[in-house]
Amino acid sequence: MVYFNETDKLNWIHSFKFYRPVFITGVLNDYLGYGTNYWTLYNISKNNRHFFNELHRRVYKNKNINIPRLSVIEKGKGRFHSHFIIDTPTHYSLKYYIKLLKRCWLKTNNGIEVNIKKVYNVGDLRNYLSKEIYHNNDLGVDVFNSFKNEVV
C-alpha cells in the first residue's frame, strides 16, 4: 500500500483537470460493502480497476489512451463504496456515455448499483471527495486507479 500525507493527497486531488466530467457513485455488494478485513480495500481497488479496464476496452479499443479520472474509496453509513470523477471522451455524447458507464460498473463482479450525475462545479466536488483523507488512513484516494493527463 502507498501512503501519502494529508497535504500531498489534497494537493494531488486539486491538480486534476477535467473538461466534461461526470460524477459516479458505485455501490458494492454486501461482501465488499461491509467487509472488515485488510483485503477489503485491496479487493475494492481491484473491482475499480476491472471497471476502468472494461470501460477502456469499450471506449478506446486498443489505443494507448487513458481516460482522466479521480477514484476515491469511502465508507459512508457503515458501507464501503467508490466515487469517481471521470471525463467524458470527446467522441461520445453524455447520454450514451452514461449508459456505457452503468453497463461497465454492473459488469464487475462486485458492482450492484451505480448513480451518475453531470458535474457543474468540480472544485466543490473535490472538496467533498477529500473529506475522508486523514493521516495514516487507507480510505480516500485510490491512487492506483486514478489517472490525470499530464501536459509536458
Side-chain angles (χ1 to χ4, degrees):
M1 189 60 78
V2 176
Y3 291 101
F4 298 97
N5 67 37
E6 189 174 338
T7 308
D8 289 340
K9 285 182 184 179
L10 291 174
N11 289 339
W12 192 64
I13 285 175
H14 289 284
S15 70
F16 277 75
K17 303 279 189 267
F18 296 101
Y19 301 101
R20 293 175 52 205
V22 290
F23 179 64
I24 304 169
T25 301
V27 180
L28 300 157
N29 61 15
D30 290 346
Y31 174 71
L32 287 183
Y34 295 110
T36 57
N37 63 20
Y38 169 79
W39 293 105
T40 301
L41 291 176
Y42 171 77
N43 287 329
I44 293 171
S45 182
K46 191 173 163 184
N47 190 73
N48 293 347
R49 186 178 73 235
H50 288 286
F51 165 67
F52 289 122
N53 286 343
E54 180 65 23
L55 181 63
H56 186 270
R57 271 192 297 276
R58 291 176 181 261
V59 171
Y60 287 118
K61 307 292 185 234
N62 295 325
K63 293 182 183 175
N64 192 16
I65 299 172
N66 282 310
I67 301 168
R69 62 199 179 245
L70 176 62
S71 178
V72 174
I73 299 171
E74 196 176 85
K75 186 170 186 172
K77 297 182 182 176
R79 183 182 188 99
F80 285 108
H81 56 277
S82 296
H83 288 299
F84 312 108
I85 302 175
I86 185 167
D87 244 346
T88 305
T90 55
H91 62 285
Y92 276 94
S93 70
L94 184 62
K95 185 177 178 181
Y96 180 76
Y97 192 56
I98 287 174
K99 287 181 184 178
L100 183 63
L101 290 167
K102 286 181 183 181
R103 194 176 318 136
C104 290
W105 179 257
L106 295 176
K107 192 171 180 180
T108 64
N109 291 336
N110 300 297
I112 59 168
E113 187 181 331
V114 65
N115 185 2
I116 303 172
K117 299 205 183 295
K118 185 176 179 183
V119 176
Y120 295 100
N121 188 344
V122 177
D124 289 344
L125 193 52
R126 285 188 194 126
N127 291 334
Y128 170 75
L129 291 178
S130 64
K131 71 180 181 273
E132 286 202 25
I133 295 177
Y134 312 114
H135 185 63
N136 293 333
N137 186 4
D138 290 339
L139 292 178
V141 179
D142 182 4
V143 294
F144 299 109
N145 290 306
S146 296
F147 179 82
K148 65 180 182 175
N149 284 336
E150 299 283 346
V151 179
V152 181

